[in-house]
């Protein structure tokens, strides 16, 4: 399924008034994981600005030990500080990478803004080297714009 075909499905999940927020986030993770071949782990992290930590929210994929990530640590922690998308074509080439699994070859993290504040991020791991393009970034920005409506 193309990003364009997935957009209305994302919007429909967000608009469903009979579903709780975490259920909607999990449904989005499942939709992306099932329909984009190289999205092998899809999850959300949410910021605790007082503690300067990210906390794992709904996700789909292999279990992870990284349920709390300090700001600045790893790709997700860097995005919490930079407020910018981070695309890692090859995780083996990254100094500040927190290894999740030997199967992860690349990662993309896009911050989630609500009223101008970075409240979290969507994190995608892939088992393929360098699959992410600008189209992935734009699509994930759209996903996060929709998700922001839940806060």
């Amino acid at each position: 399924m193309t990003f364009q075909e997935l957009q209305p499905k994302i919007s429909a999940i967000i608009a469903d008034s009979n579903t709780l927020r975490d259920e909607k986030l999990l449904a989005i993770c499942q939709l992306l994981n099932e329909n984009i071949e190289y999205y092998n782990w899809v999850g959300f992290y949410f910021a605790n600005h007082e503690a300067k930590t990210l906390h794992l929210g709904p996700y789909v994929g292999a279990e992870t030990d990284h349920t709390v990530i300090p700001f600045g640590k790893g790709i997700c922690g860097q995005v919490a500080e930079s407020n910018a998308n981070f695309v890692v074509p090859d995780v083996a080439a990254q100094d500040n990478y927190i290894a999740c699994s030997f199967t992860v070859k690349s990662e993309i993290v896009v911050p989630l803004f609500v009223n101008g504040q970075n409240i979290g991020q969507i994190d995608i791991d892939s088992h393929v080297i360098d699959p992410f393009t600008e189209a992935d970034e734009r699509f994930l920005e759209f996903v996060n714009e929709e998700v922001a409506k839940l806060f």
Side-chain angles (χ1 to χ4, degrees):
M1 203 174 286
T2 68
F3 293 144
Q4 197 169 8
E5 292 169 323
L6 286 169
Q7 285 182 343
K9 294 183 181 305
I10 297 288
S11 298
I13 290 169
I14 296 299
D16 181 356
S17 59
N18 296 318
T19 310
L20 298 173
R21 180 169 57 198
D22 277 0
E23 292 170 336
K24 292 177 184 186
L25 295 174
L26 183 59
I28 289 169
C29 293
Q30 290 168 329
L31 181 72
L32 300 184
N33 178 255
E34 291 167 7
N35 289 284
I36 303 171
E37 186 179 340
Y38 54 94
Y39 282 22
N40 303 116
W41 190 96
V42 180
F44 289 93
Y45 281 93
F46 292 97
N48 177 327
H49 289 283
E50 291 80 45
K52 295 204 176 301
T53 51
L54 292 166
H55 297 264
L56 182 62
Y59 73 94
V60 171
E63 225 177 284
T64 180
D65 293 334
H66 304 119
T67 58
V68 178
I69 299 173
F71 284 15
K73 183 112 170 98
I75 308 308
C76 291
Q78 290 176 72
V79 169
E81 291 186 331
S82 72
N83 297 322
N85 298 351
F86 199 153
V87 179
V88 182
D90 181 357
V91 296
Q94 272 298 316
D95 290 340
N96 190 7
Y97 173 70
I98 304 172
C100 297
S101 163
F102 69 91
T103 59
V104 176
K105 305 293 185 211
S106 57
E107 182 173 11
I108 184 171
V109 180
V110 176
L112 169 59
F113 295 98
V114 174
N115 299 322
Q117 182 181 31
N118 181 349
I119 66 151
Q121 53 204 229
I122 190 168
D123 178 18
I124 315 279
D125 292 344
S126 179
H127 299 164
V128 179
I129 288 185
D130 199 15
F132 304 114
T133 67
E134 190 175 323
D136 291 277
E137 287 189 73
R138 299 297 82 82
F139 173 66
L140 294 172
E141 288 167 356
F142 167 83
V143 170
N144 278 354
E145 286 167 13
E146 290 295 292
V147 168
K149 296 173 182 176
L150 301 174
F151 293 87

